[in-house]
Amino acid sequence: MVTSNKRDGIMFVLVASFLWGTLSPVGKILAALKTDMLLVALVRAGCVFLGGGLFLLWRDPSLFRISFKQFILVGFFSIFGVVGIYVGYFMALQDLTVATAVVVLYTYPLLTLIGSALIMKEPPSPTLILAAFLGLIGVGVTVWGSGTSLLIRESVRGFLWIFISVLGMVAYSLFGRWVAKNQFIAQESLFVYAHFLGFFWIALFYGVFHSVSLTGWVQALRSLSPAQWGWILYVGFGVSLFGYSSYFLALRTIEASTASTIATIEIVIAITLTSLFMKQLPTAGELLGSLLITIAVVLATGKISSKFSIFQQ
C-alpha cells in the first residue's frame, strides 16, 4: 500500500524527472548555438547556490550555520553529488558515444538499490528489483533503437568520467536519503553549500581544462549571446534548482532505490519532448524502450490513488 506521504514523494520525483527530461531538447539547442557545456555546468551550480541561498535567507538564515564535521560532509558531497553529475557526463562524451554514455549512466538505479540495502538498511522488494532491471533494459532498447552507434572511440577515459557521473547520481540519492532520515545536517543546508563548493570546483576545473586563468570563465560568460543565456538560466534555475530540490524533497518520504528507479521516466519524457519540439519522430525501438521504462516506473510506484495528498492539505 502506498501511503499519502509516499504519494507526495513519488509526485516530487515525477516533477524532477519532467524537468530533467527537458534537458535533452534544451541541450540540443545549446549545442546548436555552439555553447560550452562545461560553462553550462558552472552556471548551473551558481544558479542553484544563488536561488537556494535566497530561499534560506527568507525561510531560516540559521540554516547557513554548519559545523566543521558537517562542512566535511558537504565537501565530499559537492565533489561527487554536484561536480560528478554536472561535469562527469559532459567529459564522458569527449570519448564515448551518447548512446553508450546513457546506457552506463542509467546503471545508477541498480547501484542505488544496492547502496540503499547495504548502507541505508532499506532492502528493496522483489518487485522493485524487477523494476530496476526492467528500467535498465528499457534504456538500452531505447538508445539502441534510436539508431545511435554503441561503439566506443576511446574507452578507458570515457568510462572513468561516466562512472564518476554514475557515482554522482548514486551519492545524490543516498546522501539525500541519509540526511533526511538522520538529520545530521539540514537538507537545505547540504543542498546550498554543496552547490557553492561545486561552483568553486567547476570553476577550477574550467581553468585547467581550457588552460586559462582561474577567472577565465568570467570572460567566457560575457561572450554568451542572449539566446544562450536564456536557455542556460532555464537549465540552472528550472532543471537544476527546482529539479534537484524536488528530488531531495522526495527522499524525505521514499527510499533512494525507489526514487532513482522512478526517475528513469526522464528518458521517456525526453523522447516525447524531443519529438514534439524538434519534430523528430521516435523510432520503434524508442517506443518499445519507453514502454518498458513506463512499466518499470509503474512497478516501482505501486498502486497509487488518483488524488495526491499534497493537494488535499
Side-chain angles (χ1 to χ4, degrees), residues 1-7 10 255 300-305:
M1 180 179 178
V2 180
T3 64
S4 297
N5 286 338
K6 286 195 173 183
R7 282 197 295 270
I10 290 168
E255 296 82 1
T301 58
K303 185 177 180 181
I304 309 171
S305 64

Side-chain angles (χ1 to χ4, degrees), residues 219-259:
Q219 184 61 38
L221 289 177
R222 291 175 179 171
S223 66
L224 293 174
S225 68
Q228 288 174 312
W229 265 116
W231 289 114
I232 291 175
L233 289 177
Y234 167 73
V235 172
F237 288 108
V239 175
S240 304
L241 176 59
F242 291 105
Y244 283 101
S245 61
S246 294
Y247 191 76
F248 245 35
L249 286 173
L251 293 171
R252 293 181 177 181
T253 55
I254 62 176
E255 296 82 1
S257 53
T258 301

Side-chain angles (χ1 to χ4, degrees), residues 84-302:
I85 294 173
Y86 292 174
V87 177
Y89 185 76
F90 161 74
M91 294 302 298
L93 292 180
Q94 308 296 310
D95 300 303
L96 303 178
T97 64
V98 174
T100 302
V102 169
V103 170
V104 176
L105 177 63
Y106 275 89
T107 60
Y108 88 84
L110 286 175
L111 294 178
T112 302
L113 186 147
I114 295 172
S116 185
L118 297 179
I119 300 173
M120 300 303 305
K121 307 302 180 184
E122 296 177 335
S125 67
T127 301
L128 185 59
I129 295 174
L130 173 62
F133 276 103
L134 189 60
L136 180 59
I137 293 172
V139 172
V141 171
T142 299
V143 296
W144 198 322
S146 68
T148 306
S149 172
L150 289 173
L151 295 178
I152 305 166
R153 295 191 292 271
E154 296 177 25
S155 62
V156 177
R157 185 173 62 180
F159 269 118
L160 286 175
W161 278 114
I162 197 61
F163 188 64
I164 288 174
S165 188
V166 170
L167 286 179
M169 288 302 301
V170 173
Y172 197 90
S173 300
L174 293 179
F175 266 93
R177 179 62 175 168
W178 182 78
V179 168
K181 288 185 65 178
N182 294 278
Q183 298 295 312
F184 178 76
I185 182 175
Q187 268 191 322
E188 299 91 338
S189 302
L190 175 63
F191 187 69
V192 171
Y193 272 114
H195 280 84
F196 169 72
L197 291 178
F199 180 89
F200 172 78
W201 297 127
I202 297 172
L204 181 64
F205 184 79
Y206 182 91
V208 174
F209 183 75
H210 288 294
S211 300
V212 296
S213 66
L214 293 180
T215 58
W217 54 271
V218 176
Q219 184 61 38
L221 289 177
R222 291 175 179 171
S223 66
L224 293 174
S225 68
Q228 288 174 312
W229 265 116
W231 289 114
I232 291 175
L233 289 177
Y234 167 73
V235 172
F237 288 108
V239 175
S240 304
L241 176 59
F242 291 105
Y244 283 101
S245 61
S246 294
Y247 191 76
F248 245 35
L249 286 173
L251 293 171
R252 293 181 177 181
T253 55
I254 62 176
E255 296 82 1
S257 53
T258 301
S260 61
T261 302
I262 296 172
T264 56
I265 198 68
E266 169 194 349
I267 295 291
V268 179
I269 294 170
I271 291 172
T272 302
L273 293 177
T274 300
S275 300
L276 290 175
F277 296 107
M278 308 296 289
K279 301 186 185 304
Q280 297 178 3
L281 293 177
T283 65
E286 288 174 330
L287 291 174
L288 176 59
S290 297
L291 176 62
L292 293 175
I293 293 172
T294 302
I295 294 173
V297 170
V298 171
L299 289 173
T301 58

